[in-house]
């Protein structure tokens, strides 16, 4: 059965649920693999990790985890090569960049007071806040990730509060139909697909200045919404309302230093003059209603 | 008595505390002014706002507030001019940029179910998440700010968890001396002063690429820590461990696309070649211990 990568909570698998083995975790949709610690790819990000004592450099304080990346071990789990920002490791870097929640699963082989006594336990959502390489005493380099637990209150502010959630109906009418957890996960995964499409179409190249931020884990860009999400503007979380920007131009766009004309010229708000034209892509249609709404924030 | 701008909670003034009038609020250190809605400046950011029914465009849902900026009214509180991103308004924009918490105080003249029946009530910390101009029916333009309440859990992840807090001593010994609220406020205001010094010395110009992000509210930059704060690196929150960067170079620096040599040349991690030299400022000494620590994350 193919694994469908889903970010956030999986309905029916609340925090604290126990699983017999890795296969059961996979079938529940919690983690893609039966062996690897990280469930993720460079293109999609990582949706889950398992802590099960495989790496002596791991460090587990419960709400704060220092997690060692994957790779560089031989069949007997001896470190024989440096790790690199590829595969699952690159997935965790992408999750950091896009602030995607990562499910943490602890196994009974983890040497920590936070590990379950048998099987595997789903222990909630964490955010990757930093990564770096560490040179071990044996000279090999491993990747490390700092993960911090996110509370329920924190999972929401990143999400548009009042967007059209498609088949689920609007927020005001959906209470009787699906749980809050399901709605949040639905929105989160919808948001992920918008971000993924925009970045793919534009190859992470800024539509304003043609810059790509080249990182060791691959190219990076940000997805900006044209008409603001949430109250009072209630812009939709759709490709037609999104742009691929570098962080600098994202800041300029959100704070009104630049805006777009109907012909998609980029206007410097200070001078009112065009400083260039937005680069477009045939698959990425931009709805002028949103462009006009954003412009109305910054010009009379 | 001079007002000392402090961000975060003010000890002895917990959420829900009532005050007779604006003078009492000012003396408690909650809000700088007796008239203005916004307590803040462009240089320092805004630490507090009062909602008291002065602007018909305000919108109060409790945890979510759409707050109208100040200015453009005559003595009879009629709108006679457009608002601009200056003074208190520029302070709120800075608080958005630097993710500073803003104290929200509601007065009895506010027309909302969330207003107190008399006097003024301190209602906790909020984050400015967005701002824009709105053209009113009378044709005048006002600034608006979206503020979202921050829970206690959310106030901490932005703060270094394990930094040296100076006179307060280390985290492990301070529990008996000062309350958690005081420690958090102390750290937050310390962080604010580091950020302010770094930005001032460098005029918001990136030390790597000499870019300034020019926004309608003034120039913008980010302050990056060289050695990471918190576990496991425990870098200090000091000027000697900080850089003034544009968002693009901040991302490159944090994700290891660039690092510094001991002579402060900027090295491209992909090629190992210098791509330039870090611009320095006589008042801003950089401690090479932190530079070496950061470099060790990204090179062998």
């Amino acid at each position: 059965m193919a694994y469908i990568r889903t970010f956030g909570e999986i309905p029916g698998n609340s925090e604290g649920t126990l699983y017999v083995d890795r296969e059961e975790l996979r079938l529940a949709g919690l983690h893609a693999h039966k062996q690897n610690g990280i469930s993720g790819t460079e293109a999609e990000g990582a949706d889950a990790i398992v802590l099960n004592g495989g790496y002596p450099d791991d460090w587990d304080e419960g709400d704060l985890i220092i997690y060692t990346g994957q790779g560089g071990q031989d069949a007997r789990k001896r470190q024989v090569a440096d790790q690199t920002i590829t595969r699952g490791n690159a997935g965790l870097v992408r999750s950091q960049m896009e602030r995607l929640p990562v499910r943490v699963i602890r196994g009974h082989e983890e040497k920590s007071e936070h590990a379950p006594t048998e099987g595997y336990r789903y222990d909630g959502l964490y955010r990757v806040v930093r990564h770096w390489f560490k040179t071990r005493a044996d000279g090999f380099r491993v990747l490390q990730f700092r993960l911090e637990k996110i509370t329920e209150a924190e999972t929401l502010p990143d999400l548009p509060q009042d967007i059209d959630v498609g088949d689920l109906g609007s927020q005001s009418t959906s209470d009787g139909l699906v749980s809050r957890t399901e709605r949040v996960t639905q929105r989160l995964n919808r948001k992920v697909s918008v971000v993924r499409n925009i970045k793919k179409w534009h190859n992470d190249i800024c539509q304003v200045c043609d810059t790509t931020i080249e990182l060791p884990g691959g190219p990076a860009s940000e997805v900006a919404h044209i008409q603001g999400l949430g109250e009072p503007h209630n812009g939709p979380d759709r490709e037609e309302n999104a742009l691929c920007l570098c962080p600098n131009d994202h800041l300029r766009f959100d704070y009104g230093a630049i805006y777009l004309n109907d012909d998609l010229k980029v206007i410097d708000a200070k001078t009112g003059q065009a400083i260039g034209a937005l680069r477009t892509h045939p698959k990425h249609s931009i709805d002028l209603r949103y462009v006009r709404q954003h412009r109305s924030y910054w010009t009379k």
Side-chain angles (χ1 to χ4, degrees), chain A residues 235-262:
Chain A
D237 190 24
R238 295 212 183 93
E239 287 85 348
E240 292 83 353
N241 185 34
L243 298 174
C244 182
L245 299 178
C246 71
N248 283 1
D249 281 317
H250 192 177
L251 183 64
R252 291 185 182 104
F253 189 79
D254 277 0
Y255 283 66
I258 52 176
Y259 57 83
L260 299 174
N261 269 354
D262 277 5

Side-chain angles (χ1 to χ4, degrees), chain A residues 75-115:
Chain A
R76 282 188 277 171
K77 301 226 169 221
R78 290 176 309 195
Q79 204 71 29
V80 294
D82 289 347
Q83 294 185 348
T84 55
I85 306 182
T86 51
R87 301 169 58 234
N89 297 339
L92 278 174
V93 170
R94 178 155 304 274
S95 291
Q96 178 189 343
M97 211 160 359
E98 296 177 8
R99 293 179 61 75
L100 298 170
V102 177
R103 288 182 296 274
V104 164
I105 297 145
R106 290 189 175 87
H108 63 281
E109 291 182 50
E110 195 205 346
K111 290 151 199 73
S112 146
E113 58 176 311
H114 303 289

Side-chain angles (χ1 to χ4, degrees), chain A residues 126-155:
Chain A
Y126 286 64
R127 194 98 68 189
V128 184
V129 296
R130 206 189 309 160
H131 69 276
W132 62 90
F133 282 98
K134 175 187 172 181
T135 304
R136 292 157 40 113
D138 60 17
F140 290 114
R141 286 171 65 76
V142 292
L143 260 168
Q144 294 204 299
F145 299 88
R146 179 181 160 115
L147 290 105
E148 293 172 355
K149 189 157 194 188
I150 43 185
T151 61
E152 192 180 34
E154 277 176 284
T155 58

Side-chain angles (χ1 to χ4, degrees), chain A residues 12-296:
Chain A
N13 296 267
S14 56
E15 193 176 325
T17 304
L18 285 162
Y19 303 83
V20 173
D21 54 23
R22 296 289 302 264
E23 176 65 9
E24 200 183 359
L25 280 171
R26 205 184 70 82
L27 290 173
L30 286 179
H31 194 289
H33 306 292
K34 283 201 276 186
Q35 292 285 340
N36 299 352
I38 303 168
S39 172
T41 64
E42 176 179 341
E44 297 177 295
D47 56 321
I49 59 171
V50 170
L51 281 90
N52 199 30
Y55 287 90
D57 302 291
D58 284 357
W59 190 59
D60 188 351
E61 279 201 359
D63 290 355
L64 170 63
I65 294 168
I66 310 296
Y67 185 74
T68 309
Q70 67 187 24
Q73 290 188 337
D74 66 10
R76 282 188 277 171
K77 301 226 169 221
R78 290 176 309 195
Q79 204 71 29
V80 294
D82 289 347
Q83 294 185 348
T84 55
I85 306 182
T86 51
R87 301 169 58 234
N89 297 339
L92 278 174
V93 170
R94 178 155 304 274
S95 291
Q96 178 189 343
M97 211 160 359
E98 296 177 8
R99 293 179 61 75
L100 298 170
V102 177
R103 288 182 296 274
V104 164
I105 297 145
R106 290 189 175 87
H108 63 281
E109 291 182 50
E110 195 205 346
K111 290 151 199 73
S112 146
E113 58 176 311
H114 303 289
T117 50
E118 51 181 11
Y120 294 84
R121 190 183 59 223
Y122 166 58
D123 280 343
L125 300 176
Y126 286 64
R127 194 98 68 189
V128 184
V129 296
R130 206 189 309 160
H131 69 276
W132 62 90
F133 282 98
K134 175 187 172 181
T135 304
R136 292 157 40 113
D138 60 17
F140 290 114
R141 286 171 65 76
V142 292
L143 260 168
Q144 294 204 299
F145 299 88
R146 179 181 160 115
L147 290 105
E148 293 172 355
K149 189 157 194 188
I150 43 185
T151 61
E152 192 180 34
E154 277 176 284
T155 58
L156 286 171
D158 271 330
L159 296 174
Q161 301 290 312
D162 300 279
I163 61 167
D164 171 4
V165 289
D167 294 340
L168 290 176
S170 71
Q171 190 165 24
S172 56
T173 61
S174 63
D175 281 352
L177 299 172
V178 291
S179 74
R180 182 179 160 289
T181 299
E182 284 170 296
R183 275 184 284 138
V184 169
T185 293
Q186 170 87 7
R187 287 176 190 188
L188 184 58
N189 286 284
R190 171 158 185 169
K191 184 181 156 197
V192 167
S193 78
V194 170
V195 167
R196 199 178 303 161
N197 284 337
I198 293 287
K199 291 186 175 213
K200 187 179 62 186
W201 292 335
H202 293 285
N203 285 315
D204 286 291
I205 302 169
C206 175
Q207 290 184 258
V208 166
C209 73
D210 289 335
T211 294
T212 315
I213 311 289
E214 296 286 356
L215 302 179
S221 62
E222 293 183 355
V223 173
H225 287 93
I226 304 172
Q227 176 172 337
L229 302 180
E231 295 293 349
H233 302 118
N234 297 316
D237 190 24
R238 295 212 183 93
E239 287 85 348
E240 292 83 353
N241 185 34
L243 298 174
C244 182
L245 299 178
C246 71
N248 283 1
D249 281 317
H250 192 177
L251 183 64
R252 291 185 182 104
F253 189 79
D254 277 0
Y255 283 66
I258 52 176
Y259 57 83
L260 299 174
N261 269 354
D262 277 5
D263 58 3
L264 299 185
K265 290 273 194 304
V266 181
I267 310 298
D268 179 339
K270 206 171 204 169
T271 63
Q273 300 296 308
I275 54 168
L278 195 78
R279 200 194 61 254
T280 54
H281 184 280
K283 285 194 181 157
H284 181 199
S285 67
I286 293 170
D287 192 321
L288 289 180
R289 282 177 302 174
Y290 311 135
V291 166
R292 288 175 191 141
Q293 176 70 30
H294 173 269
R295 194 165 67 225
S296 80

